[in-house]
Amino acid sequence: MNIGGASLKVLVIGCGNSELSEQLYDVGYQDIVNIDISEVVIKQMKERNANRRPQMSFLKMDMTQMEFPDASFQVVLDKGTLDAVLTDEEEKTLQQVDRMLAEVGRVLQVGGRYLCISLAQAHVLKKAVGHFSREGWMVRVHQVASSQDQVLEAESRFPLPVFAFIMTKFRPIPGSALQILELCAQEQGKPVRLESAERLAEAVRERQQYAWLCSQLYRKAGLGSVSLDLCNGDTGEPRYTLHVVDSPTVKPSRDNHFAIFIIPQGRETEWLFGMEEGRKQLAASAGFRRLITVALHRGQQYEGMDSIQAELSARVMELAPAGMPAQQQVPFLSVGGDIGVRTIQHQDCSPLSGDYVIEDVQGDDKCYFRRLIFLSNRNVVQSEARLLKAVSHKAQKKRKKDRKKQWPAGTPEEPPAAQGQSIDKSYLCCEHHKAMIAGLALLRNPELLLETPLALLVVGLGGGSLPLFVHDHFPKSRIEAVEIDPSMLEVATQWFGFSQSERMKVHIADGLDYITSLAGREARPQYDVIMFDVDSKDPTLGMSCPPPAFVDQPFLQKVKSILTPEDSMLRAENRKRNGPGPLMLLPSLGGELQHMDELRNHMC
């Protein structure tokens, strides 16, 4: 933090017996005037510095009624004085602080700075920022960095961070309401411009909470699930998400206190990395008392493991447990030693679903997968498809020829793939999709399914993988898909190889309303299978599951009314196998398990 050259004329208010002025003098800032209201303190400081620091002066003076002429100083330095005076928000206290800050402004030159060292309690920050921003000054708040030794020493670790308020005096502009509010959270980082005093206060509070959390993590292990975001110092956007996992059962040794695990890009949604139980298993397998998993955010640039390690080393040491030997190297771990591959192909905003991205990621087996992610729930893969490797023209012709041999005569031609796409339509990435396809075997003998005309209704299109698979592998099927969000049809078509045909139609409608409409018709359509591939947008449920309305009893009755009657030809086949009637497949019920009895009672 550079506040000017050594020739600055500096005023220290409420100097007390602090060594700060002496230290500044010794490094070259010799034109320093110190004031304090205590005559005893001033006498002590004069005697202590008379011979060693002859140019530094100490004066008994009330900082709310200073005797200096206007614009006498370039810097006014306050080490904790504002904190000491502003102990409450009583009217008398606030008036005293107003006089103090007014005097600071009077004795400073235009372009001069009021540098206040503070713990930035909410009422102190509010008062200081409010006063000087109203005066048209530039307000910048710096977080004062702790030394690396202090990070590892319990005795010197203070649970709250220290801040420096730097208020720069500008010449008043009549009628101007411009506010310049900035936060600099890293010693070498660029200041971030904030839009309001409230947002500045919120940012300071976040850093205070982080410091308190670091203090608690140092003093004791096993605080439960602890996660936090580390943000880009320039933009303020989240860059890393950290989860702290303690394994108290691990026997301590010199080398197993602490480790960092970098999750490869695109794999943060896997159970081992994305769920608390998975991370506990990972930590136990790694054999460290404390493991911090680090997820890399999409939209951020990462050069490689070495640059990530250099960027995180100082910050993660603040989360180290007690008892770790000084100067010990902390290992950075990963899968295969790399940070994975993630390429964002497209990013947009849907009026219904919000912001979303289409990204290609590398899986564990070096295959690439295309994913649809809603940014409102970043760790849930909405749709996923495996990407094909480059295939020669000769191999493509052979594959098409072999496929024709397998399909019955008279089967309609496969619809052309979306231009430029390389989607493996024969592969289902989602486990619940596999279960739903397997459920078709309940209709009749699986060997006869290819020859059976099937009418299917799929509620929820997403990337289109489920209806595409049915279309391609059940050549006599006719599929209707219902999708509430027109943006998703565009996504499926442009990025996931989906296309409509004579056997595949998409209706843009609310699934609940569409089925209600079908059930109300005099001539109702009849479906052999109805598949629900829908997800609740409510993040408070804590899991991926259909909205409750899809399992309400009145709605289930409507679903039943558009399923093929039990006296259809499928019923005859099911009698032979003692199987159920027509199917409604509803995966991932999650929080709605209490409705399973309704499903049994009202669908039979």
Side-chain angles (χ1 to χ4, degrees), residues 436-446 449 574 577 583:
M436 294 169 86
I437 295 299
L440 295 178
L442 298 174
L443 286 169
R444 60 167 48 237
N445 188 327
L449 277 176
N574 284 327
R577 302 174 55 244
L583 295 179

Side-chain angles (χ1 to χ4, degrees), residues 66-72 101-108 169:
M66 290 188 276
E67 301 166 13
F68 306 111
D70 295 354
S72 298
L101 298 181
E103 280 292 275
V104 168
R106 183 184 66 78
V107 301
L108 265 177
K169 183 177 180 179

Side-chain angles (χ1 to χ4, degrees), residues 108-217:
L108 265 177
Q109 301 173 5
V110 172
R113 292 180 173 92
Y114 171 48
L115 199 163
C116 175
I117 307 301
S118 171
L119 292 178
Q121 292 174 275
H123 67 287
V124 174
L125 182 66
K126 177 183 176 182
K127 185 64 177 176
V129 172
H131 177 90
F132 289 108
S133 62
R134 283 193 300 272
E135 295 293 323
W137 294 30
M138 186 181 83
V139 174
R140 179 180 293 173
V141 178
H142 282 257
Q143 183 173 346
V144 179
S146 301
S147 70
Q148 190 64 28
D149 290 339
Q150 284 180 316
V151 168
L152 294 175
E153 293 176 9
E155 293 78 8
S156 60
R157 177 175 285 199
F158 187 63
L160 293 177
V162 177
F163 293 88
F165 305 159
I166 302 178
M167 316 295 193
T168 304
K169 183 177 180 179
F170 286 177
R171 195 178 302 279
I173 302 176
S176 174
L178 177 66
Q179 287 187 327
I180 303 177
L181 307 171
E182 296 181 341
L183 175 70
C184 192
Q186 300 177 13
E187 192 171 4
Q188 303 300 327
K190 296 179 182 177
V192 176
R193 184 72 57 88
L194 300 168
E195 65 274 11
S196 66
E198 291 76 19
R199 181 65 191 97
L200 176 60
E202 181 184 347
V204 168
R205 185 165 59 251
E206 288 170 357
R207 280 147 185 83
Q208 291 169 330
Q209 291 170 345
Y210 173 73
W212 179 86
L213 174 64
C214 292
S215 173
Q216 295 300 303
L217 286 171

Side-chain angles (χ1 to χ4, degrees), residues 283-303:
S285 301
F288 288 89
R289 289 176 55 211
R290 174 169 292 168
L291 184 73
I292 294 183
T293 65
V294 180
L296 313 182
H297 276 247
R298 57 180 59 84
Q300 298 286 321
Q301 297 297 319
Y302 305 96
E303 294 180 9

